[in-house]
Amino acid sequence: MFKKFILLSAIALSLTACLGGGSSEPTRYYTIAVENIQSPAAGAYADKRLQVRKFTIEPAYQRTNIVYRESAYDFMFYDLDLWASRPEHMMAQVAGEYIAKSGLFKTVETKPTGKPDFELLGNIVAIEEIDEGSNQYARLAVQLTFRKTESDQAIWEKSFDEKMSMNDREPRTTAETISKLFGKFMEEALQGISSQN
């Protein structure tokens, strides 16, 4: 009986290997990157401290899976193609990098070491790949708010919602195109913030 069990187990294992069950595709991770953008000249904020607060995100996108849609009614996730971390963390970090590179503020922090003078808040409404027949797009919708620390009054605020055409349906291309869209939004944000002083 024991020999029969071992024989059946060996057959099951060899069948699994032959049918591809023994090997799995690797999980791939993607990130939002800083693009080259035009930064405004430093102005009245040059001696001020800014905190980029943790972004918020709509509940449907609170995951590391990259979202793709084939219609207004679909909402699907890649299983093996993931963001390196949750989108709201990545985008707050990248926003901080853009602002720091601009030189608009004396210091830019995501975790303040002292009391900041101003803060940037962001809410991600959508971050996704859209597949419409033979056309592919990346869509990013985000609201950015610049205000004095502990104030409910916005000094500058704007809601962005754009999609950009992609050459192929690849999560890497989605990440690259989302990065370009966010770079475009941040360029406009920096110009808008600098014009308020």
Side-chain angles (χ1 to χ4, degrees):
M1 185 69 172
F2 183 69
K3 286 182 182 178
K4 197 180 276 187
F5 173 76
I6 291 190
L7 183 61
L8 287 172
S9 297
I11 291 170
L13 281 172
S14 62
L15 276 174
T16 303
C18 290
L19 295 173
S23 64
S24 61
E25 283 196 39
T27 303
R28 290 169 293 196
Y29 298 92
Y30 303 91
T31 190
I32 307 297
V34 173
E35 299 284 312
N36 290 321
I37 65 168
Q38 197 76 25
S39 292
Y45 298 125
D47 63 340
K48 305 294 184 187
R49 302 169 69 97
L50 174 81
Q51 179 189 1
V52 178
R53 297 183 69 82
K54 179 185 167 189
F55 281 20
T56 55
I57 191 168
E58 294 303 305
Y61 300 91
Q62 287 180 352
R63 55 180 62 228
T64 55
N65 302 73
I66 296 176
V67 173
Y68 70 96
R69 305 178 80 152
E70 294 175 349
S71 80
Y73 311 103
D74 298 327
F75 199 91
M76 298 170 285
F77 308 100
Y78 285 108
D79 291 327
L80 298 174
D81 296 289
L82 311 175
W83 294 116
S85 64
R86 292 244 308 245
E88 65 270 33
H89 302 303
M90 282 193 301
M91 295 189 77
Q93 188 68 39
V94 170
E97 290 179 49
Y98 275 120
I99 300 167
K101 282 177 79 173
S102 76
L104 275 182
F105 295 87
K106 181 181 178 183
T107 58
V108 179
E109 301 172 329
T110 51
K111 293 177 183 170
T113 54
K115 186 173 179 193
D117 302 294
F118 298 94
E119 55 189 15
L120 181 81
L121 297 88
N123 179 53
I124 303 166
V125 177
I127 179 168
E128 59 197 9
E129 174 188 306
I130 299 173
D131 303 312
E132 296 176 347
S134 60
N135 298 315
Q136 286 81 39
Y137 303 91
R139 178 184 171 222
L140 179 63
V142 63
Q143 181 179 26
L144 298 173
T145 303
F146 171 69
R147 68 186 189 190
K148 279 193 169 181
T149 303
E150 295 171 0
S151 167
D152 292 331
Q153 185 76 30
I155 297 170
W156 177 91
E157 187 173 49
K158 181 156 184 188
S159 291
F160 300 90
D161 188 348
E162 289 186 30
K163 62 181 189 176
M164 186 180 284
S165 181
M166 304 191 305
N167 295 328
D168 54 51
R169 184 181 174 175
E170 286 291 330
R172 178 181 283 120
T173 309
T174 302
E176 183 181 344
T177 310
I178 293 282
S179 296
K180 286 182 173 148
L181 281 168
F182 193 49
K184 183 181 173 188
F185 298 167
M186 284 304 301
E187 184 170 13
E188 188 173 331
L190 288 167
Q191 296 290 347
I193 290 166
S194 69
S195 69
Q196 300 303 310
N197 58 43

